[in-house]
Amino acid sequence: MKAHEKEFLDKTKDLKNKFNEIKNDPSFIYNPKKPDGAHLINVRSVGEGHTEIMNAIIVPEWAFNAEFLDEKHETAKIQFENYYADKNESLPQNMWQTPVKFVYDYCSYDYTIGSFSEKLDNYSEDFISYDEALEKFQAYQEDMIKLNELIAEAENKRKNLNSN
């Protein structure tokens, strides 16, 4: 097993179990207002900086990124229609009652506070493979270890200064 892989698998275990319960149930209806998921990475900078978010989620088979969860479901309708058109299949009657898949959704962007712009620079959101998701999770975990070490070091320095 690779570094941090057990923790990665543990974070998605319940979601995988749920997926295995529903994946072959033709009566299952997806609820886009309450998607089932597991948070894996959530790095949001304050001010100017870079944001990265990665979740494992259960999505309809026709979804090609998590943008289908937009409030009005306009993107969902496009993804739904395109998926079945590309397969030369007729549209199912209910777009939310279709087979589901288990995916890793990765989103990243840059944003400047105070820019008064709703535009996110370098915006990207895609479903990625297990290996890509694990690699990003490993890097995130290593960064968190380093950050916690820096915090502990700073706290020790502060304690030493206060005790003198």
Side-chain angles (χ1 to χ4, degrees):
M1 201 169 264
K2 297 178 182 176
H4 305 290
E5 190 168 11
K6 181 179 179 342
E7 184 178 356
F8 181 77
L9 293 171
D10 287 347
K11 285 183 169 275
T12 60
K13 182 182 176 187
D14 290 342
L15 186 64
K16 273 282 196 190
N17 289 339
K18 166 107 187 207
F19 172 70
N20 288 330
E21 286 174 22
I22 64 174
K23 69 180 180 183
N24 294 318
D25 180 358
S27 66
F28 175 75
I29 298 176
Y30 190 86
N31 182 352
K33 293 183 184 198
K34 291 188 176 194
D36 291 301
H39 299 291
L40 298 170
I41 297 176
N42 191 350
V43 178
R44 296 172 191 254
S45 58
V46 177
E48 295 188 27
H50 185 69
T51 296
E52 289 184 66
I53 303 164
M54 185 172 69
N55 298 303
I57 54 177
I58 298 171
V59 300
E61 71 175 353
W62 47 260
F64 66 87
N65 66 30
E67 291 176 4
F68 80 92
L69 292 168
D70 66 329
E71 200 170 299
K72 295 179 182 174
H73 307 300
E74 291 166 1
T75 304
K77 289 175 191 153
I78 293 167
Q79 289 185 18
F80 173 69
E81 290 170 359
N82 287 345
Y83 176 83
Y84 290 101
D86 289 348
K87 292 177 72 173
N88 290 322
E89 292 181 11
S90 58
L91 292 174
Q93 210 162 6
N94 181 346
M95 70 189 290
W96 303 116
Q97 192 171 0
T98 60
V100 292
K101 61 186 178 182
F102 184 96
V103 298
Y104 299 96
D105 180 58
Y106 178 74
C107 177
S108 65
Y109 57 87
D110 299 313
Y111 182 74
T112 304
I113 299 281
S115 67
F116 301 106
S117 170
E118 291 188 21
K119 180 179 179 286
L120 301 175
D121 296 324
N122 303 314
Y123 179 84
S124 172
E125 179 164 9
D126 295 296
F127 294 153
I128 60 175
S129 71
Y130 174 89
D131 289 337
E132 291 171 300
L134 177 59
E135 188 176 303
K136 289 180 183 307
F137 184 79
Q138 289 168 323
Y140 172 75
Q141 291 302 107
E142 291 301 320
D143 287 347
M144 291 300 104
I145 289 168
K146 289 176 190 169
L147 181 62
N148 287 331
E149 288 171 353
L150 289 171
I151 291 169
E153 189 178 305
E155 285 177 354
N156 285 336
K157 284 181 183 178
R158 185 178 52 100
K159 285 178 187 174
N160 289 339
L161 287 173
N162 289 337
S163 65
N164 289 336

